[in-house]
C-alpha cells in the first residue's frame, strides 16, 4: 500500500492531496462538488468505541440505534431495531446474530472480561492493535462485516476503501509526540504497558511476520495513542448527540476551518463527508474540528492544545494580518471586515440585569418583545432591509430572519449569501445596541437553556419567540446549511405548530420553518435510506400534517 494508491482513491472521488507550506498538506477538489453531495466516505480503522453510558442504546458492531427505524424505500419504514446484550459480560449490545458474530470473531472475545475497558483510550488502543494485526496476518476478511460498512443509500461514485488503505493512511497521520504534554505521554506509556501485557495474557494470535509473535512495543503503541489523540472523531447520531469515538484516517486528511465548506456526518459506523456549499475546482475541502459557535479565543486554544496548530481559516486569518499591520503602524486605524467582524460581535460574557443576574422573569420580558415574522415575508428574497436604529433582541431577530431566511429558501449562491452576511455584520458593528449586547455566545447559551425550559413547560408562545431569536443567532454564526441550524428549525416548527394562541398564523409560519428545515437537512443529512435520511423524511411527514391543517 502506498501514496500512489491513496492518490488514486482520492482522485476517484474528485479529490487530490497536495502539499501546503503552512498546513503540511490539504485536500482540494478536482471537480465541482455540489452542495449536499457526498464528497467521500471513510471507514474506521477499528470498530468505534461506544461511550459506556450509551452502550445499551447502540449495536456495538454497526452502531445502529435501539428502536430507530431506517427507511427501506421512499415510503416504507423498516422494523424498529431491538438490541440483545452479550450473555457473558452483559455490557455490549447487538442488533442481530450476525453483528454479534462479527464482533466475537474480530475483537469481543478478547475484551469481554476486560475490566479496564471502561477507559476509552485503553479500549481504543487495544482495538487498533488487534485490527492492524488481523490485517497483517490475513485473518481479517472484508466480506465478514461488509454489510456493516455500507452507509444506507449513500453513493459517491468513487472506489471503495479497503482496510489496507485505511491502515496506510493512519500510518501517515501526525501524532505530535515531540510537543505533547509530558503528563499525557506518561499516561499513554502506562496505558500502552497495560494493554501490551493484557494482550499477551489474552492469547490474542500475533501470527504476522511483522509481529514476530509479540504485541507491538510500548513505544509503538504510544505512537498509536498520539495519532488517535490528534485525529480522533466524536461520532454522533442524526440529532448530533455524541455516543462514540472512532479513528477515521481518510476523514482526518481534511483540514479544519472555523467556516467549513463540508460537514462530517455518520451512518452507522461509516463517516460521511458532505459538501455544505458548492466547492469549486481547486478549492480546499475543510471540515470543522470544534464548535463554530465558540468564541475565537476558546476556539483557538482548543485547536492549539489538541491539534497543535494556529488556525488560519477565514475567521482567524484576518486577525493575524491585522496584528502584523498593527506592529508596523499602531496609529493607523485598521479596517475590519468579513468573518473577523463576526468574532468581534459574538464576544462578551454579560447577560441579565447589570450584565450579571439572569432569571426567568427578566428573560421573559426580553423575549416577549419579539414579533414573529409572517410566513409570506420569508418566501421571497428582496433588497437589503433598513437596519434597526438600535439593536435589541427583538430588532436583531427581525433583521436577521427577514434578511437571511428568504435567501436560503430561494437557494441563492454562496457568494451572494456571504455578501449579505457581511453587510449584516458591518451594520451590527456600527449600529448602537442595548446592554447587554444581544448577540454574544453567552446570550446564546442562556437563550438555549431558557428555550428548552419553555418547551418542557409547554409555554409554546414564549418558546416560539425564543426559538426564533436563536435561529437568528445560528444564521449569523453557523454556515447556512449546518445541521444544527436545520435541527433547530425542526424543533422551532413543532413549537409554532403547538402555539394555539398564534392560531393559523403560527401554523403558516410553522410550515415555512419546516420548509427551511427540509432545505437545510437535505444538504447536511441527505435523503438516503439510513437514519439520516429517516430524519429528513420525518420532517417531510410533519410538513404533510401541517399542510392538511392549512387546507382544512
Amino acid at each position: 500500500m502506498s501514496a500512489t494508491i491513496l492518490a488514486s482513491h482520492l482522485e476517484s472521488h474528485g479529490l487530490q492531496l497536495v502539499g501546503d507550506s503552512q498546513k503540511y498538506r490539504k485536500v482540494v477538489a478536482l471537480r465541482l462538488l455540489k452542495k449536499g453531495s457526498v464528497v467521500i466516505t471513510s471507514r474506521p480503522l477499528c470498530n468505534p468505541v461506544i461511550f459506556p453510558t450509551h452502550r445499551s442504546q447502540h449495536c456495538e458492531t454497526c452502531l445502529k440505534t435501539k428502536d430507530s427505524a431506517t427507511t427501506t424505500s421512499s415510503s416504507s419504514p423498516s422494523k424498529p431495531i431491538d438490541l440483545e446484550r452479550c450473555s457473558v459480560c452483559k455490557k455490549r449490545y447487538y442488533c442481530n446474530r450476525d453483528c454479534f458474530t462479527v464482533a466475537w470473531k474480530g475483537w469481543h472475545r478478547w475484551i469481554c472480561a476486560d475490566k479496564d475497558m471502561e477507559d476509552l483510550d485503553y479500549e481504543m488502543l487495544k482495538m487498533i492493535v488487534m485490527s492492524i494485526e488481523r490485517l497483517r496476518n490475513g485473518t481479517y476478511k472484508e466480506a465478514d462485516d461488509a454489510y456493516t460498512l455500507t452507509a444506507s443509500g449513500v453513493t459517491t461514485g468513487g472506489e471503495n476503501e479497503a482496510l489496507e488503505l485505511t491502515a496506510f493512511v493512519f500510518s501517515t497521520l501526525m501524532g505530535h509526540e515531540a510537543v505533547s504534554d509530558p503528563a499525557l505521554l506518561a499516561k499513554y506509556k502506562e496505558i500502552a504497558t497495560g494493554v501490551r501485557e493484557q494482550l499477551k495474557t489474552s492469547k490474542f494470535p500475533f501470527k504476522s511476520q511483522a509481529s514476530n509473535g509479540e504485541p507491538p512495543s510500548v513505544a509503538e503503541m504510544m505512537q498509536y495513542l498520539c495519532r488517535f489523540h490528534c485525529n480522533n472523531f466524536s461520532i454522533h447520531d442524526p440529532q448530533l448527540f455524541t455516543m462514540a469515538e472512532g479513528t477515521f484516517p481518510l476523514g482526518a486528511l481534511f483540514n479544519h476551518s472555523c467556516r467549513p465548506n463540508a460537514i462530517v456526518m455518520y451512518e452507522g459506523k461509516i463517516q460521511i463527508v458532505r459538501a455544505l456549499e458548492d466547492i469549486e475546482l481547486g478549492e480546499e475541502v475543510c471540515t470543522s474540528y470544534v464548535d463554530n459557535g465558540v468564541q475565537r479565543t476558546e476556539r483557538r486554544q482548543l485547536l492549539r492544545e489538541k491539534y497543535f496548530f494556529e488556525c488560519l481559516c477565514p475567521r482567524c486569518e484576518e486577525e493575524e494580518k491585522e496584528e502584523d499591520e498593527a506592529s508596523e503602524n499602531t496609529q493607523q486605524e485598521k479596517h475590519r471586515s468579513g468573518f473577523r467582524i463576526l468574532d468581534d460581535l459574538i464576544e462578551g460574557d454579560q447577560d441579565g440585569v447589570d450584565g450579571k443576574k439572569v432569571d426567568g422573569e427578566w428573560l421573559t420580558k426580553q423575549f416577549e418583545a419579539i414579533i414573529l415574522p409572517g410566513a409570506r415575508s420569508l418566501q421571497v428574497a428582496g433588497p437589503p432591509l433598513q437596519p434597526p436604529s438600535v439593536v435589541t433582541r427583538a430588532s436583531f431577530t427581525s433583521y436577521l430572519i427577514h434578511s437571511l431566511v428568504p435567501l436560503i429558501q430561494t437557494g441563492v449562491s454562496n457568494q451572494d449569501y456571504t455578501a449579505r452576511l457581511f453587510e449584516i455584520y458591518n451594520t451590527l458593528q456600527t449600529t448602537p445596541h442595548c446592554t447587554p449586547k444581544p448577540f454574544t455566545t453567552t446570550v446564546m447559551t442562556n437563550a438555549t437553556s431558557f428555550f428548552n425550559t419553555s418547551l418542557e413547560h409547554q409555554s409554546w408562545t414564549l418558546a416560539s419567540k425564543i426559538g426564533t431569536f436563536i435561529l437568528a443567532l445560528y444564521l449569523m454564526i453557523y454556515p447556512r446549511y449546518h445541521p444544527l441550524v436545520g435541527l433547530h428549525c425542526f424543533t422551532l416548527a413543532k413549537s409554532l405548530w403547538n402555539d394555539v394562541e398564534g392560531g393559523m398564523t403560527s401554523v403558516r409560519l410553522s410550515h415555512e420553518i419546516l420548509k427551511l428545515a427540509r432545505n437545510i437537512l437535505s444538504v447536511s443529512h441527505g435523503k438516503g435510506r439510513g437514519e439520516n435520511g429517516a430524519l429528513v423524511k420525518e420532517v417531510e411527514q410533519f410538513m404533510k400534517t401541517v399542510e392538511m391543517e392549512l387546507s382544512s
Side-chain angles (χ1 to χ4, degrees), residues 491-506:
T491 303
L492 172 58
K494 293 176 182 177
S495 178
L496 286 162
W497 186 70
N498 280 298
D499 181 15
V500 294
E501 293 181 26
M504 294 307 293
T505 299
S506 288

Side-chain angles (χ1 to χ4, degrees), residues 335-403:
H335 174 67
R336 296 185 176 187
S337 63
F339 291 116
R340 176 73 175 96
I341 295 178
L342 169 61
D343 279 299
D344 290 341
L345 291 172
I346 66 175
E347 285 184 353
D349 58 1
Q350 292 189 331
D351 194 16
V353 182
D354 298 325
K356 297 178 182 179
K357 184 180 179 182
V358 179
D359 57 35
E361 182 179 355
W362 184 87
L363 286 171
T364 299
K365 290 180 179 178
Q366 301 301 307
F367 292 117
E368 280 183 339
I370 291 174
I371 299 175
L372 295 177
R376 287 190 177 182
S377 67
L378 304 182
Q379 295 172 355
V380 180
L385 299 178
Q386 183 69 27
S389 56
V390 178
V391 183
T392 64
R393 297 189 192 208
S395 63
F396 168 81
T397 302
S398 178
Y399 183 48
L400 266 290
I401 295 297
H402 285 102
S403 295

Side-chain angles (χ1 to χ4, degrees), residues 155-167:
T155 57
T156 64
E159 298 173 354
N160 292 327
E161 179 187 354
L163 186 60
E164 289 91 343
L165 175 61
T166 313

Side-chain angles (χ1 to χ4, degrees), residues 398-426:
S398 178
Y399 183 48
L400 266 290
I401 295 297
H402 285 102
S403 295
L404 295 177
V405 170
L407 300 184
I408 302 175
Q409 300 290 60
T410 55
V412 301
S413 68
N414 184 39
Q415 182 179 358
D416 289 344
Y417 183 83
T418 303
R420 180 66 63 87
L421 203 56
F422 285 0
E423 291 174 6
I424 291 171
Y425 293 164
N426 279 291

Side-chain angles (χ1 to χ4, degrees), residues 245-510:
E245 285 193 341
T247 302
F248 297 85
L250 270 183
L253 292 176
F254 294 93
N255 288 325
H256 162 82
S257 173
C258 299
R259 189 71 182 185
N261 55 13
I263 190 75
V264 171
M265 300 295 289
Y266 296 89
E267 196 66 71
K269 64 181 182 182
I270 291 298
Q271 183 184 79
I272 302 168
V273 180
R274 286 187 182 276
L276 286 178
E277 296 286 357
D278 288 352
I279 302 174
E280 302 294 336
L281 169 68
E283 184 179 353
E284 182 178 7
V285 182
C286 291
T287 61
S288 183
Y289 300 173
V290 297
D291 182 0
N292 307 143
V294 174
Q295 291 184 17
R296 180 197 303 115
T297 302
E298 184 179 351
R299 254 187 0 253
R300 300 186 82 186
Q301 181 179 351
L302 288 169
L303 293 169
R304 191 181 300 116
E305 291 179 351
K306 180 171 173 59
Y307 301 102
F308 302 97
F309 69 85
E310 295 291 339
C311 186
L312 297 174
C313 77
R315 283 179 64 178
C316 300
E317 184 180 24
E318 291 176 348
E319 179 186 27
E320 298 294 331
K321 291 179 180 178
E322 289 177 5
E323 288 173 353
D324 291 341
E325 292 168 2
S327 66
E328 295 174 6
N329 186 357
T330 57
Q331 300 301 320
Q332 183 180 359
E333 182 178 355
K334 301 180 295 290
H335 174 67
R336 296 185 176 187
S337 63
F339 291 116
R340 176 73 175 96
I341 295 178
L342 169 61
D343 279 299
D344 290 341
L345 291 172
I346 66 175
E347 285 184 353
D349 58 1
Q350 292 189 331
D351 194 16
V353 182
D354 298 325
K356 297 178 182 179
K357 184 180 179 182
V358 179
D359 57 35
E361 182 179 355
W362 184 87
L363 286 171
T364 299
K365 290 180 179 178
Q366 301 301 307
F367 292 117
E368 280 183 339
I370 291 174
I371 299 175
L372 295 177
R376 287 190 177 182
S377 67
L378 304 182
Q379 295 172 355
V380 180
L385 299 178
Q386 183 69 27
S389 56
V390 178
V391 183
T392 64
R393 297 189 192 208
S395 63
F396 168 81
T397 302
S398 178
Y399 183 48
L400 266 290
I401 295 297
H402 285 102
S403 295
L404 295 177
V405 170
L407 300 184
I408 302 175
Q409 300 290 60
T410 55
V412 301
S413 68
N414 184 39
Q415 182 179 358
D416 289 344
Y417 183 83
T418 303
R420 180 66 63 87
L421 203 56
F422 285 0
E423 291 174 6
I424 291 171
Y425 293 164
N426 279 291
T427 297
L428 294 176
Q429 186 186 42
T430 56
T431 304
H433 56 73
C434 65
T435 302
K437 191 164 61 172
F439 37 69
T440 67
T441 55
T442 300
V443 170
M444 182 169 66
T445 299
N446 291 335
T448 301
S449 177
F450 197 43
F451 177 60
N452 292 330
T453 299
S454 299
L455 291 175
E456 291 172 4
H457 292 167
Q458 298 184 8
S459 302
W460 305 118
T461 301
L462 180 59
S464 296
K465 293 186 175 186
I466 302 170
T468 306
F469 169 74
I470 293 171
L471 175 57
L473 279 170
Y474 281 1
L475 291 175
M476 172 185 173
I477 296 172
Y478 292 93
R480 56 176 168 169
Y481 294 109
H482 194 286
L484 183 63
V485 182
L487 290 169
H488 178 73
C489 287
F490 192 21
T491 303
L492 172 58
K494 293 176 182 177
S495 178
L496 286 162
W497 186 70
N498 280 298
D499 181 15
V500 294
E501 293 181 26
M504 294 307 293
T505 299
S506 288
V507 176
R508 283 189 287 271
L509 182 55
S510 171

